[in-house]
Amino acid sequence: MSKFELKMPKMGESITEGTIINWLISKGDSFDEGDIILEVATDKVDNEVPAPASGTLVETLFQAKDVVPVGEVLAILEVVEEIKSTNKTKASSSEAQKPQKEVKAAKRPKPVQQASTSNSFSVSNSNTFFSPLVLEIAKEQHISFEELARIPATGHEGRLRKSDVFQYIEEGRPYKFAQPVAEKDPTAYRIPQLQFDKGKGKVIEMDRMRQMIADHMVYSKHTSPHVTAYVEADMTNMVNWRNANKVAFQEKHGERLTFTPLFVEAVAKAVKDFPNINASVDGNNIIVKEDINIGMATALPSGNLIVPVVKNADTKDLKTIASNVNELAGKARENKLAGDDIKGSTFTISNVGTFGSVMGTPIINQPEVAILALGIIKKRPEVITTKKGDEIAIRSMMYLSLSFDHRVVDGFLGGSFVRRVADYFEQFDINRKI
């Protein structure tokens, strides 16, 4: 037996740290090569860390929920054979990956063909995320997602562990043929069981981030009763000022001046005027946030969406906001956003005009209570009032649409807020100094 340092593995090109979800073994527990020792999460994916060899857990150096840099020692193990060098470590690691199938095959009991004695079940595992290892076992044993959801889970926060699946198989897969039976509620809405022709074509599997986005959007629509309010803003003063000063701004401050920093600045001012829009819901309580952190819905090169955050936007001048926006946008383009860059948003804006959209109906970024979509800025003839009376002039116009959670934001607050944002846009000082 020899001592071995189990380190935080590198789980992606841009991943520099991971959060410990749960230790699956305790101090003094023994394990076999390939057994999962702990679960680790990053901002993009969850991972299981396997044992490099058989042995015993001597000491853990971090606890659940601790954030640990890549390469940091997580635990001290006492293993059967010593791992002396980096090359041998890599070899052992690859061997640990390779024999996992052999270990699983040795441990995995033969499926027992046994008919279920019950025709009903309750969902024991409410967590719909299954680790790659669990999915691999399920695939080999022809276990469907519906059947996986019925297996009692003993992992952290209701997660299904490898041992849970093996135990279930050993018991003869009692829920294999079970069908759900629920007490009928005559007032409940029933989703029609319709058979749609989904057509034929290229099948593209969602990546992990796309699945998370889909879950987040469905959860938001299910949780918050969305109402959308629209206003129109005359952007002429802001557009003319930005066009006249963008070159001088970059020469003076070394930062590109897009419309986004101007939008963030105005929205932060409006949020300060209507603090109840800067909130989240916790059961029957409304939490009005102290900080004003503006999230910016941004498209990644992969096409997925992410929301980097300008922290404390109400306390920053235009130069600092522009610097923050440019830095976050650059990181997003290069897939280099860190965990802290996408945390803490209290209100989100989505510039749908970037893609040519006139307006949008955005989905609330939970747990926030509102989100603002900004449409394309388009020139068109408008009737304006001058000293000479009503005249027709070419103006730069834009639609704003605010989706808000009608549980806590009523029409007066939502409408007043989006109107105030439009007012700040329209009342932009054309003589403002850079």
Side-chain angles (χ1 to χ4, degrees):
M1 300 288 282
S2 59
K3 293 286 183 9
F4 174 73
E5 294 181 342
L6 181 69
K7 298 181 179 179
M8 175 66 75
K10 188 171 180 63
M11 293 162 285
E13 191 63 34
S14 62
I15 303 299
T16 59
E17 62 185 17
T19 302
I20 296 175
I21 300 175
N22 188 37
W23 288 95
L24 302 182
I25 61 174
S26 303
K27 181 177 179 180
D29 289 351
S30 59
F31 50 82
D32 294 328
E33 181 179 357
D35 282 355
I36 304 302
I37 294 180
L38 74 157
E39 297 170 319
V40 175
T42 70
D43 58 331
K44 296 181 179 178
V45 71
D46 293 348
N47 295 272
E48 295 178 331
V49 180
S54 299
T56 305
L57 178 61
V58 177
E59 180 184 5
T60 57
L61 304 181
F62 294 94
Q63 306 303 317
K65 298 185 179 180
D66 285 349
V67 179
V68 185
V70 169
E72 191 76 23
V73 177
L74 296 168
I76 305 298
L77 311 179
E78 195 170 59
V79 296
V80 173
E81 38 180 20
E82 185 178 1
I83 301 175
K84 295 181 179 179
S85 66
T86 303
N87 291 334
K88 190 170 182 181
T89 301
K90 290 180 179 178
S92 299
S93 180
S94 63
E95 283 301 307
Q97 296 284 336
K98 185 177 178 182
Q100 272 189 18
K101 289 188 178 180
E102 299 171 9
V103 171
K104 287 184 284 182
K107 285 189 169 186
R108 187 183 301 117
K110 294 181 180 179
V112 179
Q113 298 301 325
Q114 175 181 326
S116 173
T117 58
S118 171
N119 65 348
S120 64
F121 74 90
S122 61
V123 174
S124 300
N125 174 23
S126 59
N127 193 327
T128 56
F129 170 75
F130 303 112
S131 70
L133 182 58
V134 166
L135 291 176
E136 182 182 353
I137 298 170
K139 183 178 180 181
E140 292 177 2
Q141 294 294 316
H142 304 290
I143 299 175
S144 67
F145 281 98
E146 290 79 5
E147 190 176 357
L148 280 178
R150 304 168 196 170
I151 301 174
T154 62
H156 180 64
E157 295 182 351
R159 292 202 175 188
L160 192 65
R161 299 171 59 183
K162 176 182 70 173
S163 58
D164 297 328
V165 181
F166 287 162
Q167 178 67 28
Y168 173 73
I169 295 171
E170 192 170 52
E171 292 171 354
R173 294 174 61 180
Y175 302 128
K176 182 176 181 181
F177 303 106
Q179 297 297 321
V181 175
E183 184 179 347
K184 292 184 178 181
D185 179 358
T187 65
Y189 172 72
R190 303 285 184 226
I191 299 176
Q193 299 300 308
L194 303 177
Q195 297 297 322
F196 294 106
D197 179 6
K198 297 180 181 178
K200 297 179 180 179
K202 182 180 179 182
V203 177
I204 302 174
E205 185 178 358
M206 290 186 185
D207 58 29
R208 173 67 176 151
M209 180 173 284
R210 174 53 56 186
Q211 292 179 43
M212 292 172 65
I213 292 170
D215 289 344
H216 194 77
M217 295 298 98
V218 172
Y219 172 78
S220 183
K221 291 292 284 188
H222 175 77
T223 302
S224 299
H226 282 55
V227 175
T228 306
Y230 303 88
V231 299
E232 192 175 20
D234 186 340
M235 306 293 290
T236 306
N237 286 350
M238 181 183 287
V239 170
N240 291 343
W241 183 88
R242 185 250 176 186
N243 290 340
N245 290 278
K246 61 182 180 181
V247 174
F249 188 92
Q250 184 161 4
E251 290 176 351
K252 181 176 180 178
H253 301 300
E255 297 290 347
R256 289 171 51 250
L257 182 61
T258 63
F259 282 107
T260 303
L262 298 171
F263 294 160
V264 170
E265 181 185 56
V267 169
K269 288 170 64 178
V271 169
K272 204 166 185 177
D273 294 341
F274 296 93
N276 287 346
I277 209 78
N278 195 52
S280 61
V281 180
D282 182 17
N284 292 325
N285 297 321
I286 302 172
I287 303 173
V288 180
K289 307 297 181 64
E290 296 177 352
D291 297 329
I292 298 177
N293 301 330
I294 306 298
M296 310 178 300
T298 305
L300 294 171
S302 63
N304 290 325
L305 294 175
I306 201 162
V307 184
V309 183
V310 178
K311 307 289 177 61
N312 302 115
D314 59 313
T315 67
K316 297 176 178 177
D317 58 17
L318 185 60
K319 171 185 174 298
T320 305
I321 294 175
S323 176
N324 290 170
V325 167
N326 292 336
E327 180 183 6
L328 292 169
K331 286 183 177 181
R333 285 192 298 269
E334 299 172 7
N335 284 319
K336 292 183 178 179
L337 286 168
D340 190 57
D341 294 330
I342 57 175
K343 292 180 181 177
S345 173
T346 62
F347 184 89
T348 299
I349 62 174
S350 179
N351 189 358
V352 299
T354 302
F355 314 113
S357 296
V358 174
M359 64 176 69
T361 53
I363 298 176
I364 297 168
N365 182 25
Q366 297 292 330
E368 298 164 21
V369 297
I371 181 172
L372 179 67
L374 305 166
I376 191 172
I377 300 174
K378 193 171 184 178
K379 288 184 179 180
R380 64 171 185 262
E382 288 290 318
V383 176
I384 61 174
T385 301
T386 68
K387 293 180 180 179
K388 299 178 183 179
D390 291 342
E391 295 183 355
I392 296 177
I394 302 300
R395 309 295 290 179
S396 296
M397 307 298 293
M398 181 176 75
Y399 287 108
L400 291 75
S401 48
L402 179 80
S403 291
F404 53 90
D405 186 338
H406 215 339
R407 293 177 301 170
V408 294
V409 179
D410 57 26
F412 175 78
L413 173 58
S416 299
F417 171 78
V418 70
R419 183 63 255 173
R420 183 63 56 85
V421 175
D423 289 343
Y424 280 133
F425 287 169
E426 292 184 342
Q427 296 164 8
F428 191 87
D429 184 3
I430 192 69
N431 298 312
R432 180 176 179 176
K433 303 296 182 184
I434 61 171

